[in-house]
Amino acid sequence: MAVALVVSLGALLLIGWGLGELATSLTQTDDLEGVRDVAADRTGFLTGFAHVLSTIGSGYVVFALAAIACVFLYRRRCGAAALAVAVSTAGAVVISNVDKLLVGRPRPPVHHLEHVTSASVPSGHATQSTAFYGTLLVVVLWSSGSARLRATLAAVATASLVLAIAFSRVYLGVHYPSDVVAGMLLGGSWSAIVCTALVTRRQRRDA
C-alpha cells in the first residue's frame, strides 16, 4: 500500500506540473482579468475576512490542526485514521511545493495584500486545505457513522470552507483563479487516494 501511495504521489506531481504549465500558457489573460476584477471590489470588511480565511488555510493552522487530530485519533485507537490525516496533509505540502518549483509561475501583477515569496501555481493554501479538511471530514464521518443528513451538511460546510479559502487567495491578489483551481484538484485527488487506501486497509483487516 505504501508503494501505491508513493506512485500516486509521483503521478500527481506530474499532473500538477502539467496543470501549472497549461494554466501559465493558456489562461494568462483571463486569469489576470479575474484577479483585477476581484481586486477592484475590495472593501475593508472583505479584506479582513479574507485574511481570516487565508489564515485558516495556512500551513500554521493546518499543520497544528492536523497534529491535534492525529493525536486525538491515535488516543482513540484510530491509528489508521490518524495516519491518513498525516499522510494526506504532508503529501499535499510536497505536491504544492515541488510543483511550484517545477512550474515557477510568477504571482499576479497586482497589489498583494499578503507577503508571498514562492511561485504562484498551485496554491499551497488551496492544496493543503482541500487535502486536510477533506480527509478529516471522511475520517470523522467514517468513524462516527453520522446520519445522512448530518454527513451531507458536514460535506457542504467543508466544501464551502475550502472554496472560501481558495477565493480569499485570489481576493488578496496573491494567486490567479487557475492557481487555486489546480490546488483544489490536486489536494482533493490526493485526499481521495489516501482515504481510499484507508478504507481498503480497514476492509482487509476486517475480512
Side-chain angles (χ1 to χ4, degrees):
M1 187 173 295
V3 174
L5 286 175
V6 171
V7 171
S8 298
L9 182 64
L12 282 179
L13 285 172
L14 294 177
I15 292 172
W17 187 7
L19 287 175
E21 294 292 350
L22 184 66
T24 302
S25 61
L26 298 181
T27 64
Q28 187 73 26
T29 301
D30 291 338
D31 259 358
L32 182 55
E33 289 180 357
V35 176
R36 286 175 173 168
D37 288 344
V38 172
D41 294 328
R42 288 171 176 167
T43 66
F45 172 78
L46 290 177
T47 297
F49 190 43
H51 281 303
V52 171
L53 290 169
S54 182
T55 299
I56 294 173
S58 69
Y60 299 106
V61 173
V62 168
F63 298 159
L65 291 178
I68 293 171
C70 287
V71 171
F72 176 79
L73 290 168
Y74 183 77
R75 289 185 174 179
R76 293 287 298 271
R77 298 186 178 181
C78 299
L83 183 61
V85 172
V87 171
S88 181
T89 305
V93 174
V94 171
I95 292 170
S96 63
N97 286 334
V98 171
D99 280 337
K100 281 178 183 289
L101 292 174
L102 291 174
V103 179
R105 185 185 197 183
R107 298 280 180 163
V110 298
H111 177 57
H112 299 166
L113 299 184
E114 282 193 358
H115 177 67
V116 289
T117 56
S118 61
S120 191
V121 63
S123 164
H125 282 64
T127 307
Q128 66 199 19
S129 62
T130 303
F132 167 67
Y133 290 113
T135 302
L136 186 64
L137 171 69
V138 172
V139 166
V140 170
L141 294 181
W142 183 41
S143 301
S144 62
S146 298
R148 180 173 298 180
L149 177 58
R150 281 184 291 179
T152 300
L153 292 175
V156 170
T158 301
S160 299
L161 175 62
V162 170
L163 287 170
I165 290 171
F167 180 77
S168 74
R169 303 302 287 167
V170 178
Y171 178 92
L172 295 171
V174 294
H175 279 295
Y176 294 98
S178 62
D179 296 343
V180 299
V181 171
M184 288 187 290
L185 288 174
L186 293 170
S189 297
W190 177 240
S191 174
I193 291 170
V194 173
C195 290
T196 299
L198 170 65
V199 172
T200 301
R201 177 178 176 179
R202 178 65 176 271
Q203 289 174 339
R204 288 178 179 175
R205 190 185 69 181
D206 295 341

